Amino acid sequence: MNALKKYLTVNYLFSLTSGLVMLVLSGYLDQLFGIANVYVFPVIGINLLGFAAFVFFVAKWKLSHKGLVYLISALDGLWVLGSLLILVLDPFELTMVGNTLIGAVAVWIGFLGYMQYRSYES
């Protein structure tokens, strides 16, 4: 398996797992993050499942399509940017655990996005 396919596969598996966790454990995550709106995690979870399906499609059948690979990396970059804005501006007054998890996931997604981009260029 080449490096690009490996990073895209990790990305879709992580997105799939995260989406399912957000759907199944949304009540627990609401408490952990200190969120009162019960729709936040299910909505993000559903979107992550859609993203995971898209990344799976690209990894399986469109690996050579430069634009799609760059789009996935750009979407990963937007996730990181959004996470940084949440951490810096603190608009939702999340718990320390919530902020720590957001930061850790942002670092991981940033790494995957960078490695996907870099792997395509190699």
Side-chain angles (χ1 to χ4, degrees):
M1 179 183 315
N2 69 30
L4 176 59
K5 186 169 186 164
K6 176 179 74 172
Y7 289 114
L8 287 171
T9 299
V10 170
N11 194 340
Y12 85 71
L13 289 172
F14 183 76
S15 298
L16 175 67
T17 303
S18 298
L20 290 173
V21 166
M22 288 184 188
L23 287 173
V24 173
L25 300 175
S26 62
Y28 173 74
L29 292 172
D30 290 339
Q31 292 175 347
L32 190 65
F33 280 70
I35 294 176
N37 186 334
V38 297
Y39 298 107
V40 171
F41 286 109
V43 168
I44 296 171
I46 289 169
N47 282 285
L48 280 173
L49 294 179
F51 179 73
F54 173 62
V55 176
F56 173 80
F57 171 78
V58 173
K60 187 81 171 163
W61 293 289
K62 296 291 184 181
L63 200 56
S64 63
H65 195 292
K66 187 176 187 175
L68 293 177
V69 173
Y70 285 171
L71 176 61
I72 292 167
S73 293
L75 291 171
D76 287 338
L78 288 173
W79 180 279
V80 172
L81 179 61
S83 298
L84 290 175
L85 288 173
I86 288 171
L87 293 174
V88 170
L89 300 177
D90 193 28
F92 308 112
E93 299 177 0
L94 302 177
T95 64
M96 180 63 78
V97 171
N99 284 327
T100 302
L101 289 172
I102 287 171
V105 170
V107 168
W108 176 242
I109 295 302
F111 169 76
L112 289 176
Y114 172 74
M115 293 307 291
Q116 291 158 178
Y117 176 82
R118 186 172 153 222
S119 295
Y120 192 88
E121 291 297 317
S122 299

